Amino acid sequence: MNPRFQPTSDQVTPYLFFTGKGGVGKTSTACATAVALANEGKRVLIVSTDPASNLQDVFEQPIEYNETVLKDIPGVTAINLDPEEAAAAYREKMVGPYRDKLPATVVAQMEEQMSGACTVEIAAFDEFATLLTNRERTAQYDHIIFDTAPTGHTLRLLQLPTAWSGFLDESTHGASCLGPLSGLADKKELYSEAVEALSNHTLTTLILVTRPDESALSEAARASTELREIGLENQCLIINGKLQKFVADDPTSVAFYNRQEQALELLPDELKKLKTYELPFVPYQLTGVHSLTTLFAAEQMIDTKAEFFEKLGDTETIREMIEHAGAKKSGVILTMGKGGVGKTTMAAIIAVGLAEMGHTVHLTTTDPAEHLSSLFNHSVIENHLSISRINPKVEVEHYKKEVLEQAREHLDENGLAYLEEDLSSPCTEEIAVFRAFAKVVEEANDAFVVIDTAPTGHTLLLLDAAESYHKELERSTGDIPASVSNLLPRLRNPAETDVFIVTLPEATPVHEAERLQVDLNRAGIEPTAWIVNQSFSATKTTDPILKARAQGEGRWLSLVQSKLAKKTILVPWRHDFSVGYQHLKTFI
């Protein structure tokens, strides 16, 4: 067993960067660390650069851009930076001068080029780099805690010399970060100083926060490797949400405990190198100073009066959802959501359900680990269902090769190096994979195609813009295949396409799903329904910790049902989860 994470001022560096995929608890852990250090008499500044930040919810008071001293613990000052707002200001700074000089279609393309996650991350980096290098401000605090660290991709881009050259004025392939970086030429020195501070092990520690499940651990391993490769080696790992013991006569409790243990037995090699701590699976919402202080205590608070949350309104069953989708006879079905919410499992269940109705179904995924193979466990698959796996690495390499070959004629060695790194962005992967998806859909006539992990609205708009404005922009975007051109209108047509957003009944997954829905709406796509997966409130658990967590789901289920989703499907946490075609049928 790993030791409990209990930060003290003599054990931690002045700068602490918490990072991890959405929903692993990095904000609450960062806030609890700030409270612990302040209780030692230290002056602490905590800064959030997360677009879905819930800093104000955790501390239970309004927190905005201005430094806010916490009312219940004066030793902590908080700043809630809004990278979305910063990104909007940054876009306007870059695009504004061209509004009256270029055609509206060109301006629209420029705006879309700078509307994705890459721009938001660059804007976030700009915000905390400005703060980190301000000696007058940093001298006021003993510790500065950042909730959300930059990715290795962003830092590699900023370290490339071409990022600061005139090359950025000449857009090349239109996939990802060239637009977002095009206005940074005057900040090279500031960013270099910030990156240097990040890599200084006496000043900075990167704290990777994860959960004891396979998906989150894999993501933490990837982030650790990326950051280590560019010199950020002072890392430690926090495994958050580990159930400390189980209730023997509660199948849900036993299964939950065992599943976490199995995930930790398969800990990736990259993470075994790190100093590792644990934090318990707590039975309460981590809001308010008292609960944050209790997080590091030996005994956990349990509300023994917690009752099960009663559903606020009608929710559909998985069977009803599949029957409604199957009434169309053919079409495209997309499952979308952040990693770890169960969208691959939901895609497989939908595909099996449609096949059981007698429809011809093709199920495809981008999972390089062939998670579908493990779900079906090479079991007998009925004649109506076929499965394919699109390897993102293969598709990205093919796409990169195509773009780089076109660019060699007019770029020097530095320009090509920058373009190659730019093509390593998530936006590029989405475009490359979407092209492969489009080909699969084109080949499947009079059938259902179920797609696990679909492109964001930003990517769809980029593809649409690249197609529509190609001649006006004279960009070397590469040819847009007919399969892609034909699929974009189809995805926008609810008579042909169903989009299911998959989430969990927790704060961060719900906020991230909400942002995804807004993104899709921009692209003219309206989700059919939300699938709220792995709900403890839909089980009959008697474990006091899990039961209390079930009560806490009410707030998020209410938000989804009353404000976000047209329809809601509530899926209980399954204690009997196994694999194979026949087992997947039991969900229906």
Side-chain angles (χ1 to χ4, degrees):
M1 179 178 290
N2 297 303
R4 175 78 62 90
F5 182 63
Q6 293 179 311
T8 57
S9 59
D10 60 340
Q11 293 179 335
V12 298
T13 53
Y15 303 143
L16 301 172
F17 282 80
F18 286 79
T19 188
K21 66 184 295 183
V24 296
K26 60 181 178 291
T27 297
S28 54
T29 306
C31 292
T33 300
V35 171
L37 293 172
N39 283 337
E40 292 185 41
K42 301 300 179 182
R43 298 164 301 167
V44 183
L45 174 65
I46 182 168
V47 182
S48 175
T49 57
D50 190 337
S53 173
N54 58 339
L55 208 61
Q56 62 283 346
D57 297 325
V58 175
F59 284 126
E60 296 182 326
Q61 72 175 83
I63 298 171
E64 296 181 353
Y65 181 79
N66 296 322
E67 293 173 73
T68 304
V69 177
L70 299 189
K71 59 188 179 187
D72 295 324
I73 183 160
V76 177
T77 301
I79 299 177
N80 209 8
L81 301 179
D82 186 351
E84 296 276 12
E85 186 177 312
Y90 182 73
R91 278 195 298 273
E92 185 55 34
K93 172 187 172 184
M94 298 306 301
V95 177
Y98 299 101
R99 290 193 187 282
D100 298 328
K101 300 177 182 178
L102 296 175
T105 52
V106 177
V107 173
Q109 164 68 357
M110 292 173 67
E111 289 180 320
E112 185 53 45
Q113 176 70 16
M114 301 180 71
S115 70
C118 296
T119 303
V120 175
E121 190 170 328
I122 292 294
F125 185 83
D126 180 66
E127 292 282 358
F128 72 64
T130 302
L131 173 63
L132 194 65
T133 56
N134 186 326
R135 300 279 195 288
E136 187 176 335
R137 292 182 77 179
T138 57
Q140 300 174 38
Y141 303 100
D142 299 300
H143 299 280
I144 300 180
I145 297 172
F146 291 92
D147 170 28
T148 302
T151 65
H153 170 61
T154 295
L155 295 174
R156 285 197 310 271
L157 276 171
L158 293 171
Q159 288 179 337
L160 284 168
T162 314
W164 310 102
S165 74
F167 169 73
L168 290 177
D169 296 329
E170 303 171 14
S171 188
T172 57
H173 70 294
S176 52
C177 302
L178 294 176
L181 282 174
S182 59
L184 303 182
D186 58 340
K187 298 200 172 183
K188 181 177 181 180
E189 187 174 340
L190 180 147
Y191 282 13
S192 296
E193 189 176 343
V195 172
E196 184 178 347
L198 276 169
S199 58
N200 185 334
H201 71 278
T202 62
L203 288 177
T204 302
T205 304
L206 283 160
I207 301 175
L208 296 158
V209 184
T210 186
R211 288 203 183 267
D213 68 67
E214 189 176 342
S215 174
L217 290 168
S218 295
E219 175 67 16
R222 183 200 61 76
S224 175
T225 300
E226 265 201 352
L227 293 166
R228 191 182 294 113
E229 285 175 349
I230 54 174
L232 279 65
E233 297 184 1
N234 191 22
Q235 305 176 11
C236 69
L237 178 71
I238 296 177
I239 298 172
N240 187 32
K242 177 67 178 70
L243 192 65
Q244 302 300 295
K245 57 185 179 180
F246 57 86
V247 176
D249 60 355
D250 180 358
T252 301
S253 177
V254 173
F256 188 75
Y257 180 87
N258 288 339
R259 206 173 295 178
Q260 289 191 334
E261 289 291 318
Q262 290 166 8
L264 292 176
E265 287 176 5
L266 301 173
L267 191 73
D269 290 339
E270 296 88 341
L271 299 182
K272 292 178 181 177
K273 306 170 186 176
L274 303 180
K275 190 168 186 178
T276 301
Y277 303 93
E278 282 186 10
L279 284 172
F281 189 89
V282 295
Y284 49 84
Q285 293 290 311
L286 281 165
T287 57
V289 172
H290 180 55
S291 68
L292 293 171
T293 303
T294 309
L295 180 62
F296 299 138
E299 295 296 325
Q300 299 301 308
M301 303 185 300
I302 297 180
D303 181 5
T304 57
K305 298 180 181 179
E307 298 293 336
F308 283 111
F309 168 72
E310 296 293 334
K311 290 180 288 186
L312 297 181
D314 293 333
T315 60
E316 281 196 358
T317 64
I318 292 179
R319 174 184 286 276
E320 290 171 326
M321 172 188 72
I322 293 172
E323 288 175 348
H324 288 158
K328 297 179 180 179
K329 308 301 181 185
S330 66
V332 180
I333 295 175
L334 312 177
T335 58
M336 303 185 69
K338 295 295 182 181
V341 297
K343 59 184 177 294
T344 299
T345 301
M346 288 300 117
I349 292 167
I350 292 169
V352 167
L354 292 170
E356 286 294 303
M357 292 174 65
H359 296 295
T360 300
V361 185
H362 185 85
L363 172 62
T364 185
T365 183
T366 61
D367 185 1
E370 296 192 3
H371 183 43
L372 279 178
S373 291
S374 62
L375 273 178
F376 285 96
N377 197 27
H378 306 290
S379 59
V380 175
I381 297 175
E382 301 298 324
N383 293 333
H384 294 296
L385 176 62
S386 60
I387 298 174
S388 67
R389 300 168 189 89
I390 296 169
N391 189 323
K393 289 185 178 180
V394 172
E395 298 301 331
V396 167
E397 286 307 310
H398 177 75
Y399 182 67
K400 285 170 67 173
K401 183 178 179 181
E402 179 183 322
V403 174
L404 288 169
E405 284 299 321
Q406 293 181 8
R408 288 186 195 284
E409 298 179 7
H410 53 85
L411 291 182
D412 60 17
E413 187 175 340
N414 281 338
L416 285 171
Y418 182 84
L419 177 57
E420 188 164 9
E421 174 56 39
D422 182 48
L423 285 164
S424 299
S425 80
C427 299
T428 301
E429 180 174 308
E430 280 194 4
I431 288 175
V433 168
F434 184 67
R435 284 157 53 115
F437 274 143
K439 187 176 180 181
V440 171
V441 174
E442 186 180 46
E443 294 173 351
N445 296 318
D446 302 320
F448 281 99
V449 179
V450 181
I451 301 175
D452 163 38
T453 307
T456 63
H458 168 63
T459 297
L460 295 176
L461 285 169
L462 268 181
L463 282 163
D464 193 30
E467 177 188 358
S468 303
Y469 311 138
H470 180 78
K471 290 183 180 178
E472 291 152 308
L473 298 172
E474 295 180 351
R475 301 160 65 87
S476 60
T477 56
D479 294 330
I480 303 297
S483 57
V484 173
S485 303
N486 296 335
L487 184 55
L488 285 170
R490 188 175 181 181
L491 294 181
R492 294 184 173 118
N493 184 358
E496 296 184 85
T497 300
D498 282 303
V499 176
F500 296 103
I501 290 181
V502 186
T503 189
L504 302 177
E506 301 171 10
T508 301
V510 168
H511 287 314
E512 290 183 338
E514 182 179 10
R515 290 172 59 207
L516 174 60
Q517 180 162 268
V518 170
D519 195 27
L520 289 170
N521 290 159
R522 289 195 308 114
I525 296 174
E526 180 70 30
T528 304
W530 283 41
I531 301 174
V532 183
N533 195 23
Q534 300 178 24
S535 169
F536 287 113
S537 65
T539 71
K540 297 180 180 180
T541 181
T542 58
D543 185 313
I545 291 178
L546 299 184
K547 188 175 180 179
R549 283 297 288 263
Q551 178 69 11
E553 293 177 5
R555 174 183 180 184
W556 308 110
L557 290 171
S558 174
L559 176 62
V560 171
Q561 286 191 303
S562 62
K563 295 184 178 180
L564 300 177
K566 290 171 61 178
K567 292 182 180 179
T568 305
I569 296 94
L570 187 64
V571 182
W573 196 93
R574 296 275 296 226
H575 62 80
D576 61 340
F577 189 83
S578 59
V579 296
Y581 186 95
Q582 293 303 318
H583 175 74
L584 290 168
K585 282 171 57 176
T586 66
F587 280 83
I588 303 167

mmCIF file of all heavy atoms in Angstrom, residues 145-162:
data_model
loop_
_atom_site.group_PDB
_atom_site.id
_atom_site.type_symbol
_atom_site.label_atom_id
_atom_site.label_comp_id
_atom_site.label_asym_id
_atom_site.label_seq_id
_atom_site.Cartn_x
_atom_site.Cartn_y
_atom_site.Cartn_z
ATOM 1 N N ILE A 145 0.203 27.287 -5.970
ATOM 2 C CA ILE A 145 -0.352 26.027 -6.466
ATOM 3 C C ILE A 145 -1.156 26.312 -7.730
ATOM 4 O O ILE A 145 -2.040 27.185 -7.733
ATOM 5 C CB ILE A 145 -1.258 25.380 -5.396
ATOM 6 C CG1 ILE A 145 -0.430 25.021 -4.163
ATOM 7 C CG2 ILE A 145 -1.966 24.146 -5.944
ATOM 8 C CD1 ILE A 145 -1.260 24.553 -2.981
ATOM 9 N N PHE A 146 -0.845 25.577 -8.798
ATOM 10 C CA PHE A 146 -1.580 25.718 -10.051
ATOM 11 C C PHE A 146 -2.443 24.480 -10.275
ATOM 12 O O PHE A 146 -1.944 23.353 -10.276
ATOM 13 C CB PHE A 146 -0.613 25.892 -11.226
ATOM 14 C CG PHE A 146 0.130 27.195 -11.219
ATOM 15 C CD1 PHE A 146 1.376 27.295 -10.611
ATOM 16 C CD2 PHE A 146 -0.412 28.324 -11.803
ATOM 17 C CE1 PHE A 146 2.070 28.494 -10.590
ATOM 18 C CE2 PHE A 146 0.278 29.533 -11.794
ATOM 19 C CZ PHE A 146 1.520 29.619 -11.188
ATOM 20 N N ASP A 147 -3.725 24.702 -10.418
ATOM 21 C CA ASP A 147 -4.652 23.624 -10.741
ATOM 22 C C ASP A 147 -4.727 23.508 -12.258
ATOM 23 O O ASP A 147 -5.310 24.362 -12.923
ATOM 24 C CB ASP A 147 -6.033 23.931 -10.154
ATOM 25 C CG ASP A 147 -7.105 22.973 -10.641
ATOM 26 O OD1 ASP A 147 -6.766 21.825 -10.965
ATOM 27 O OD2 ASP A 147 -8.277 23.383 -10.691
ATOM 28 N N THR A 148 -4.113 22.493 -12.820
ATOM 29 C CA THR A 148 -4.002 22.212 -14.259
ATOM 30 C C THR A 148 -2.671 22.721 -14.806
ATOM 31 O O THR A 148 -2.410 23.925 -14.839
ATOM 32 C CB THR A 148 -5.148 22.804 -15.104
ATOM 33 O OG1 THR A 148 -6.383 22.291 -14.627
ATOM 34 C CG2 THR A 148 -5.012 22.397 -16.557
ATOM 35 N N ALA A 149 -1.836 21.783 -15.205
ATOM 36 C CA ALA A 149 -0.520 22.086 -15.773
ATOM 37 C C ALA A 149 -0.583 21.997 -17.295
ATOM 38 O O ALA A 149 -1.473 21.352 -17.844
ATOM 39 C CB ALA A 149 0.513 21.092 -15.236
ATOM 40 N N PRO A 150 0.353 22.627 -17.991
ATOM 41 C CA PRO A 150 0.362 22.547 -19.457
ATOM 42 C C PRO A 150 0.744 21.145 -19.925
ATOM 43 O O PRO A 150 1.454 20.422 -19.240
ATOM 44 C CB PRO A 150 1.436 23.568 -19.852
ATOM 45 C CG PRO A 150 2.344 23.616 -18.672
ATOM 46 C CD PRO A 150 1.463 23.429 -17.473
ATOM 47 N N THR A 151 0.283 20.777 -21.100
ATOM 48 C CA THR A 151 0.637 19.471 -21.649
ATOM 49 C C THR A 151 2.025 19.518 -22.281
ATOM 50 O O THR A 151 2.551 20.581 -22.599
ATOM 51 C CB THR A 151 -0.358 19.030 -22.730
ATOM 52 O OG1 THR A 151 -0.252 19.933 -23.843
ATOM 53 C CG2 THR A 151 -1.780 19.027 -22.213
ATOM 54 N N GLY A 152 2.591 18.335 -22.482
ATOM 55 C CA GLY A 152 3.889 18.251 -23.150
ATOM 56 C C GLY A 152 3.835 18.804 -24.552
ATOM 57 O O GLY A 152 4.799 19.415 -25.028
ATOM 58 N N HIS A 153 2.700 18.617 -25.233
ATOM 59 C CA HIS A 153 2.570 19.118 -26.612
ATOM 60 C C HIS A 153 2.714 20.634 -26.654
ATOM 61 O O HIS A 153 3.452 21.184 -27.475
ATOM 62 C CB HIS A 153 1.220 18.691 -27.180
ATOM 63 C CG HIS A 153 0.874 19.341 -28.480
ATOM 64 N ND1 HIS A 153 1.646 19.170 -29.614
ATOM 65 C CD2 HIS A 153 -0.135 20.166 -28.833
ATOM 66 C CE1 HIS A 153 1.102 19.857 -30.609
ATOM 67 N NE2 HIS A 153 0.034 20.472 -30.156
ATOM 68 N N THR A 154 2.033 21.336 -25.755
ATOM 69 C CA THR A 154 2.125 22.797 -25.726
ATOM 70 C C THR A 154 3.553 23.249 -25.428
ATOM 71 O O THR A 154 4.079 24.159 -26.076
ATOM 72 C CB THR A 154 1.178 23.370 -24.656
ATOM 73 O OG1 THR A 154 -0.167 23.088 -25.036
ATOM 74 C CG2 THR A 154 1.339 24.876 -24.523
ATOM 75 N N LEU A 155 4.194 22.617 -24.454
ATOM 76 C CA LEU A 155 5.554 23.022 -24.093
ATOM 77 C C LEU A 155 6.548 22.733 -25.206
ATOM 78 O O LEU A 155 7.479 23.515 -25.439
ATOM 79 C CB LEU A 155 5.975 22.320 -22.798
ATOM 80 C CG LEU A 155 5.155 22.722 -21.555
ATOM 81 C CD1 LEU A 155 5.542 21.872 -20.364
ATOM 82 C CD2 LEU A 155 5.346 24.197 -21.238
ATOM 83 N N ARG A 156 6.369 21.621 -25.915
ATOM 84 C CA ARG A 156 7.274 21.324 -27.038
ATOM 85 C C ARG A 156 7.120 22.376 -28.136
ATOM 86 O O ARG A 156 8.098 22.824 -28.730
ATOM 87 C CB ARG A 156 6.993 19.928 -27.607
ATOM 88 C CG ARG A 156 7.492 18.784 -26.754
ATOM 89 C CD ARG A 156 7.569 17.486 -27.549
ATOM 90 N NE ARG A 156 6.356 17.190 -28.261
ATOM 91 C CZ ARG A 156 5.335 16.504 -27.756
ATOM 92 N NH1 ARG A 156 5.389 16.065 -26.509
ATOM 93 N NH2 ARG A 156 4.258 16.259 -28.461
ATOM 94 N N LEU A 157 5.883 22.761 -28.403
ATOM 95 C CA LEU A 157 5.650 23.795 -29.415
ATOM 96 C C LEU A 157 6.381 25.088 -29.052
ATOM 97 O O LEU A 157 7.009 25.723 -29.885
ATOM 98 C CB LEU A 157 4.148 24.081 -29.545
ATOM 99 C CG LEU A 157 3.339 23.152 -30.451
ATOM 100 C CD1 LEU A 157 1.857 23.446 -30.298
ATOM 101 C CD2 LEU A 157 3.756 23.317 -31.900
ATOM 102 N N LEU A 158 6.287 25.471 -27.779
ATOM 103 C CA LEU A 158 6.880 26.733 -27.352
ATOM 104 C C LEU A 158 8.406 26.681 -27.347
ATOM 105 O O LEU A 158 9.055 27.720 -27.375
ATOM 106 C CB LEU A 158 6.370 27.094 -25.950
ATOM 107 C CG LEU A 158 4.883 27.437 -25.883
ATOM 108 C CD1 LEU A 158 4.433 27.562 -24.436
ATOM 109 C CD2 LEU A 158 4.579 28.711 -26.646
ATOM 110 N N GLN A 159 8.975 25.473 -27.312
ATOM 111 C CA GLN A 159 10.431 25.342 -27.310
ATOM 112 C C GLN A 159 11.015 25.311 -28.720
ATOM 113 O O GLN A 159 12.221 25.439 -28.895
ATOM 114 C CB GLN A 159 10.841 24.073 -26.555
ATOM 115 C CG GLN A 159 10.641 24.193 -25.049
ATOM 116 C CD GLN A 159 11.025 22.921 -24.311
ATOM 117 O OE1 GLN A 159 11.036 21.839 -24.875
ATOM 118 N NE2 GLN A 159 11.347 23.045 -23.038
ATOM 119 N N LEU A 160 10.171 25.133 -29.731
ATOM 120 C CA LEU A 160 10.670 25.080 -31.102
ATOM 121 C C LEU A 160 10.994 26.480 -31.599
ATOM 122 O O LEU A 160 10.160 27.383 -31.501
ATOM 123 C CB LEU A 160 9.629 24.431 -32.021
ATOM 124 C CG LEU A 160 9.500 22.908 -31.910
ATOM 125 C CD1 LEU A 160 8.254 22.444 -32.638
ATOM 126 C CD2 LEU A 160 10.724 22.222 -32.476
ATOM 127 N N PRO A 161 12.176 26.701 -32.163
ATOM 128 C CA PRO A 161 12.545 28.049 -32.608
ATOM 129 C C PRO A 161 11.597 28.605 -33.655
ATOM 130 O O PRO A 161 11.359 29.814 -33.707
ATOM 131 C CB PRO A 161 13.961 27.867 -33.187
ATOM 132 C CG PRO A 161 14.097 26.398 -33.449
ATOM 133 C CD PRO A 161 13.246 25.721 -32.428
ATOM 134 N N THR A 162 11.034 27.739 -34.470
ATOM 135 C CA THR A 162 10.152 28.213 -35.539
ATOM 136 C C THR A 162 8.879 28.836 -34.993
ATOM 137 O O THR A 162 8.217 29.612 -35.677
ATOM 138 C CB THR A 162 9.786 27.045 -36.475
ATOM 139 O OG1 THR A 162 10.983 26.336 -36.773
ATOM 140 C CG2 THR A 162 9.173 27.531 -37.761
#
